[in-house]
Structure formats: structure tokens, C-alpha cells
Amino acid sequence: MTILQLSFFARATCTLSQCIRECIVNTSPKFYLGKFVKYRHYATAVRLKVDSQNVVSSGFPNVSGFDNIYLHDFVWENVEKWSNRTALICAVTGKSYTYGQLRKACSNLASNLRKHNFLPGDTIAMILPNIPEFALLVLAAHEAGLCTILINPGCMIYELKRQLKEEEIRAIFTFPAKYSDVKASREKNSNIPIILVNDRNVNNNFIFEADYLDNFMCNETEDFSVNEKTVVNYDDTVILPYSSGTTGTPKGVELSHRTIVSCMRQMMIPELFPGRETTEHHQEILPLILPLYHCYGLIVSLYCYLRMGAKLVCLPQFSQEKFMKLLEDYQCTIMYVVPPIIQMMVYNKQITSRHVGSLRNVTSGAAPLGEEIIERFRSYCPKDMIFVQGYGATELSSVAAIGASDGSPTSCGYLIPNTQMRIVSVQEDTLGKNLGPNETGEIYIRGPQVMKGYYKNPMATANTMDGDWYKTGDLGYYAEDGQLYLKGRLKEMIKVKGYQVAPAELEEVIRGYDKIQDVAVIGVPDNKYGEIPKAFIVPKAEAKIDENELKKFVAERLAKYKHLGHVQIIESIPKSMSGKILRRKLQYL
């Protein structure tokens, strides 16, 4: 049974109560809501199916075509149509590639990687900002059959050591400014080559002991022959982004060709995907402001829009001034953001309608936005600009739900095709029970976009999976029209500017400070960043804690978004009988 495809002004002949009555009297094992209802002042289509066990399925027809195609082939499927159009341009340096140039460079690099004995199944690490060469390298690695670990370039040596500890890494690709940190982090194997990704003599900063990507690009080769084509399984891991999952320190998330292509197919349906394919008279312009080492930026912004032939403008390092200049210079049509960017745009009086006048669609993700700030943002955007929110996770290849133009902008939208959801009770008296509409519980997701698992961490995988259901750790509910709303997080993660910060990771670092007896970290609300970490410290006997000194200690070891915002000295950390920190009690101290 498929959803009724009706326009925004379709015949809204039924009321919400009529829809509910129809569902109540329906005695079949499954019921389907496929009419329009008025909800929160928006005329919305009801897009969900719910069975007798309260398992919710997307109301959109299932999609196919993701079982037997490699990720890079899917991205390049129609590249000949727009080979002369700009694919990538750096907003800072102006360096650019057309689609024809980028496709040829990727094929050439893939072949040269093979000639340098990078074999199918080998693993490389990428520690790069948003530069055009990020796309070139990662797509060439896919084509060569390599698995790519994606690491935040803001990571400090302490974090890099943990993420680079696997001895089978064949090479680390990074940029000159990060060279010394990366070199110091090769704790177990100092023989892992470091390959710098930029022109050799940029700012006369040539590092003689390092290798350069130029050396892999200088000899042009023919495209892979049929016999030379990389033979890997569609279920082989193609990228390893890092996520903290529901608890604990960051873990590598195994995403395969199949899981990523399926997610792209699922989200790129006309009802949910705002991008239009490039034609002679139209090309979408998209700012690459979300980090490409994160699935949201990589899959949703880069891969999907390269497939559409869009012009992608790279911003290597985000700042308000550079972002404003990018918007003014390139007149973007589509934009993907996280809440702090929207908040910055709302409160920065220098940003005016001339910066956003060409925007046709803005999608926000990573954390929910409220109605007030959405309306303030929309007030200086074009009247026909569509603002939606989405919901997903790295473990879901980035997406589970996306808002539609006829939905409520405060929701996280509708389940994408081929996706199922359960809202599971977390209350003791109904623990584990599947809940119905408007009942809040933990969100479970099932679909072809779910990760293979956490790399070399079967225990963490088992803890976050219920069979083939991914337990998100987020609390939410779905309304009768099928839209998903978030209510908070069951998990302990702190979200700073849309980034996940694991309390356990901060606590591990702080315990290394010699004056600390015990510590617990929680997230506290912050107007600028959404949340910031707060540490509750139990000092050693007679030790005096200097707050600024402790903050500096953490700052020297962790990326900026993980830095402490507050420190509070207490006598003891509240814990359960099993020794688990009772973080909710800390919120009231």
C-alpha cells in the first residue's frame, strides 16, 4: 500500500479525529494512515504505517537499486551529463575542479594508489579539513577498494593516538599544519607513512621528511581496465567515521557500500530531497560548511550533491566572517546546517537578506530547533524558502527521518523509505514495551542504512543493537500524521555545537590530573553552543583545584568542542549501588 501523493492544497476532507476513529475501528493486523490532516497549523500528509505491535513503517514506497552498486559508481553514475560544470571550489583559495577534472583525477589517483601497493581491503586514515582534495582522495580510495578512517582534524595528540592505534593502517593522509601532531601520535608503528594533501610549496612550508599526494598524481594513467577494477564486496566496510554511540568513548562505525548507497537512495526521493539535478539552465550551489569527516557532511552534502551535479563550495575552517563572505559571493540555493549555525545567523546583525536571498531550502540536523528561533531565521529569508529538520546518526549512515515541505518545521520529519521505527518505553512498569502515537520513549530504528557494527568492538555493538534494531538512545514520539519529534536523550552524550561529546572520555582525561580523586561530567544548557561540558570534581585530600589550570589541562588534550565550560567542586559523586554515576542528580547541584 502506498502513500497518497497529494499537493499541499489537496482535499483535506478529514479531520484528525476522523483519522483516529478510522484507525481504532480498523481490525486488520496493520492499519495505514494516508489522508491529510491539520496539525499545528500546517496541512500535512499522514505518512506512516503501524502494525498491531506498534512497529511504525515509513509511509513512502520502498526504494531499490542499492544492492549491487559501489558507492563511487553511484556517485559518478551521471557525471557525463555535467562534465564541464564546476564540481568543487575552495571559498578561500579559489582552487576548483570541474566534474570532468574531478572524475579523471579520482580514477588516476585510484590507479596510482594501486601501483604504490595499496591493495583492496587496506585501511588508510584521513585527517583533513573541508578542501576539494578531501572529496578527491576519499572517492579515489573507494574506487581503489580501500577502507577509510575519517578523523576530526581538530583532534589532539591524545585522541589521535587512540584512533590510530590499529597497526594495519597503511598510510595517514593529512595537511601540513597537522603534521607534527600526527607524527607524534604514531605510537605503535612509526613506519606508517604520512602523506600531505596540498601543493608542496604552499606558504613555502615544504616538509622534506613527508611524502605528498602530488607524488601519487603526477603520472597520469588510463582508467582501470576491466581486469584492473577493484573487486570488493558490496558489504565490505568502505568508511570508518567515529561516533560515541549511546555511551563511552568514540568508536569506529563500519559503513559499507551497500549501507551508504541505500541511505542515499532512501533520502533522495522527490518528496523529501530538495536538490534538483543539474541541467543546461540550472545548477544547485551548496556550501560545504559541515565537516566532511562526519557522515552528515560527507554523505548528505557531498555524495548526494555530487551525484546531482551541484556546485559545492568548500570552507576549510568555519568562521562567521568567512561564512558570510561565502554566502555573499556564491549565492547558495541549498544549505545543510546544525543549530548553532542557525543561532549565529539569527543573532548576527551583519547577516541580512542579501546573504540568504537565493536560498530555496535549508535543512537542520544534529539537534532540534524550537519554533521561535526558526521563525526568526525565516523572517529575513525568502518567503518561499523551505526550512525543515532531519534526524539520524552516524550508525544510520546519517539519516532516518527528514522533514517535508508540507510538514511542521519543528518536527524531525517523516521516516525515509525502507525504514521502520519503534518507540520503546523506558519506564520501569512498562520497560521495553512498544508505545503508540504521542507516547515518549527511546527511538529504535531498523533499515538497510543501519551500520554493520562498531569496528573490533562486539560488546559495544551488542549493547547498542536489539537484533537488527539500532537503539538510538534518543527520546521522542511520533504524532498521528507520522512526524517524529525529539524530547531529549536517554543516553549521556553531550551535544556541543552539534558534536557529540562523551562524558566518559572527558572523565578519563581529567582523572589524569594529579589533584583529582573523582570526577563526573554532564552537559549543561548554553545559549551559544546548545550544551557545554561541566565537570564535578572531588579533590584529593588537602588539594586545591585551580579551575583555569584544569581547563587548560583538558584543552591541551582534547578538541576545542570538548573543552570544559564549568567546574564545580563537590564532596562526593552520587552513584548507584553498582557504581554507576547518577548524572541526573548532578543536574540539581
Side-chain angles (χ1 to χ4, degrees):
M1 193 176 299
T2 61
I3 186 170
L4 299 178
Q5 301 298 331
L6 301 176
S7 69
F8 184 80
F9 295 105
R11 293 169 293 172
T13 57
C14 67
T15 65
L16 176 58
S17 59
Q18 287 172 331
C19 274
I20 295 173
R21 283 199 298 271
E22 288 186 24
C23 297
I24 292 173
V25 300
N26 192 318
T27 57
S28 64
K30 293 186 178 182
F31 63 81
Y32 171 70
L33 305 180
K35 297 186 178 181
F36 270 72
V37 298
K38 292 284 186 178
Y39 186 73
R40 295 195 178 184
H41 310 296
Y42 295 91
T44 63
V46 180
R47 296 183 172 113
L48 80 163
K49 305 171 190 175
V50 186
D51 69 12
S52 58
Q53 302 299 313
N54 277 333
V55 173
V56 182
S57 299
S58 171
F60 293 104
N62 282 347
V63 297
S64 58
F66 48 78
D67 286 332
N68 298 302
I69 185 168
Y70 294 116
L71 173 57
H72 51 281
D73 288 337
F74 186 67
V75 170
W76 297 128
E77 192 168 28
N78 300 305
V79 68
E80 293 82 7
K81 293 182 181 180
W82 37 75
S83 61
N84 293 325
R85 305 298 286 267
T86 299
L88 295 160
I89 184 167
C90 179
V92 177
T93 66
K95 186 172 184 179
S96 66
Y97 293 84
T98 66
Y99 274 89
Q101 291 170 337
L102 183 63
R103 180 67 191 101
K104 184 176 181 180
C106 286
S107 181
N108 178 49
L109 178 55
S111 184
N112 277 312
L113 285 169
R114 178 71 62 81
K115 291 181 178 180
H116 281 77
N117 295 317
F118 287 82
L119 302 177
D122 284 350
T123 299
I124 63 170
M126 285 177 54
I127 311 170
L128 293 171
N130 286 14
I131 55 177
E133 287 73 21
F134 189 113
L136 191 164
L137 177 57
V138 75
L139 285 164
H142 300 343
E143 194 166 351
L146 308 180
C147 172
T148 305
I149 297 176
L150 303 175
I151 299 177
N152 180 353
C155 283
M156 307 297 283
I157 294 174
Y158 175 89
E159 299 160 295
L160 291 172
K161 282 183 178 179
R162 182 171 55 231
Q163 295 182 21
L164 294 173
K165 65 184 178 182
E166 303 302 335
E167 295 182 0
E168 64 268 27
I169 291 176
R170 283 278 288 106
I172 303 167
F173 293 80
T174 190
F175 58 111
K178 204 66 183 172
Y179 177 77
S180 59
D181 282 355
V182 173
K183 183 180 178 182
S185 70
R186 296 179 304 174
E187 191 173 45
K188 285 192 174 182
N189 192 344
S190 60
N191 294 321
I192 298 174
I194 300 173
I195 300 167
L196 297 181
V197 181
N198 79 338
D199 296 330
R200 300 186 194 201
N201 296 309
V202 170
N203 299 326
N204 296 315
N205 189 25
F206 184 75
I207 301 174
F208 289 95
E209 59 187 292
D211 202 350
Y212 279 79
L213 187 66
D214 290 358
N215 295 334
F216 294 80
M217 302 290 295
C218 59
N219 297 319
E220 288 199 10
T221 62
E222 297 295 327
D223 289 347
F224 281 168
S225 67
V226 174
N227 294 328
E228 219 177 3
K229 284 281 187 183
T230 299
V231 179
V232 294
N233 192 288
Y234 300 111
D235 289 317
D236 285 348
T237 302
V238 65
I239 61 170
L240 269 171
Y242 271 77
S243 169
S244 296
T246 55
T247 59
T249 56
K251 297 172 282 291
V253 178
E254 293 197 74
L255 300 180
S256 68
H257 290 269
R258 194 189 309 275
T259 56
I260 297 174
V261 172
S262 67
C263 190
M264 292 173 66
R265 284 277 192 207
Q266 290 167 269
M267 77 174 87
M268 293 179 74
I269 61 172
E271 295 87 350
L272 298 176
F273 190 71
R276 299 203 301 262
E277 191 174 280
T278 292
T279 65
E280 182 182 353
H281 305 291
H282 173 78
Q283 185 182 30
E284 301 286 15
I285 304 174
L286 183 84
L288 285 181
I289 52 178
L290 300 176
L292 294 178
Y293 64 81
H294 192 282
C295 274
Y296 185 12
L298 181 69
I299 297 174
V300 179
S301 296
L302 181 67
Y303 289 163
C304 285
Y305 282 87
L306 283 178
R307 177 174 167 79
M308 303 291 290
K311 180 178 182 178
L312 304 174
V313 186
C314 302
L315 190 61
Q317 186 174 19
F318 188 92
S319 70
Q320 292 191 32
E321 294 73 20
K322 291 177 182 177
F323 177 54
M324 289 167 56
K325 189 175 189 306
L326 186 158
L327 291 179
E328 195 163 11
D329 289 349
Y330 291 95
Q331 295 298 296
C332 301
T333 60
I334 305 281
M335 188 164 68
Y336 288 88
V337 296
V338 290
I341 294 178
I342 294 294
Q343 292 164 348
M344 178 270 290
M345 295 178 73
V346 166
Y347 294 113
N348 187 336
K349 295 181 180 179
Q350 292 180 297
I351 295 181
T352 65
S353 57
R354 77 176 186 273
H355 294 95
V356 297
S358 57
L359 285 175
R360 201 179 73 253
N361 184 285
V362 175
T363 301
S364 180
L369 279 169
E371 187 171 356
E372 180 182 350
I373 196 160
I374 293 172
E375 289 306 313
R376 290 186 64 175
F377 174 68
R378 292 174 64 124
S379 67
Y380 62 86
C381 291
K383 290 184 178 180
D384 58 350
M385 189 272 295
I386 296 169
F387 179 90
V388 300
Q389 299 190 67
Y391 174 71
T394 302
E395 290 83 353
L396 298 171
S397 303
S398 70
V399 177
I402 306 175
S405 59
D406 60 5
S408 167
T410 58
S411 82
C412 293
Y414 302 97
L415 293 178
I416 60 178
N418 305 64
T419 301
Q420 292 183 305
M421 175 177 68
R422 292 157 55 201
I423 303 296
V424 179
S425 175
V426 297
Q427 303 300 323
E428 288 187 11
D429 55 342
T430 56
L431 188 66
K433 176 185 175 182
N434 290 348
L435 304 175
N438 301 308
E439 296 181 291
T440 298
E442 184 180 2
I443 301 168
Y444 284 34
I445 297 291
R446 177 166 68 183
Q449 72 270 44
V450 174
M451 67 172 178
K452 293 172 59 179
Y454 294 119
Y455 183 62
K456 291 188 174 181
N457 200 335
M459 182 177 295
T461 302
N463 288 339
T464 200
M465 298 296 296
D466 179 11
D468 53 359
W469 290 91
Y470 169 60
K471 301 186 290 186
T472 68
D474 292 314
L475 296 172
Y477 69 91
Y478 66 93
E480 290 90 346
D481 59 6
Q483 294 189 91
L484 176 65
Y485 292 84
L486 291 186
K487 295 295 289 182
R489 291 189 303 283
L490 179 66
K491 57 190 180 183
E492 300 169 347
M493 303 309 298
I494 306 166
K495 281 198 174 179
V496 182
K497 298 173 66 176
Y499 296 108
Q500 289 187 342
V501 178
E505 183 181 20
L506 273 167
E507 289 159 1
E508 178 185 346
V509 172
I510 293 170
R511 288 191 183 99
Y513 190 71
D514 59 6
K515 298 179 181 179
I516 302 296
Q517 176 179 312
D518 204 358
V519 58
V521 174
I522 65 170
V524 294
D526 182 82
N527 291 334
K528 185 176 182 181
Y529 298 113
E531 284 187 319
I532 52 176
K534 178 178 181 178
F536 291 86
I537 301 297
V538 178
K540 291 181 178 178
E542 300 181 2
K544 292 185 178 180
I545 303 296
D546 183 308
E547 180 174 342
N548 291 328
E549 186 179 293
L550 177 59
K551 287 180 177 179
K552 182 180 178 182
F553 178 87
V554 173
E556 290 173 346
R557 289 159 174 78
L558 297 175
K560 187 174 181 180
Y561 66 90
K562 300 177 185 178
H563 292 182
L564 289 177
H566 305 285
V567 174
Q568 182 173 337
I569 307 299
I570 58 178
E571 292 183 358
S572 64
I573 304 294
K575 297 180 180 179
S576 67
M577 292 294 292
S578 61
K580 185 176 180 180
I581 296 172
L582 301 175
R583 299 183 195 276
R584 290 186 181 180
K585 289 190 175 182
L586 292 172
Q587 295 173 355
Y588 302 102
L589 295 180

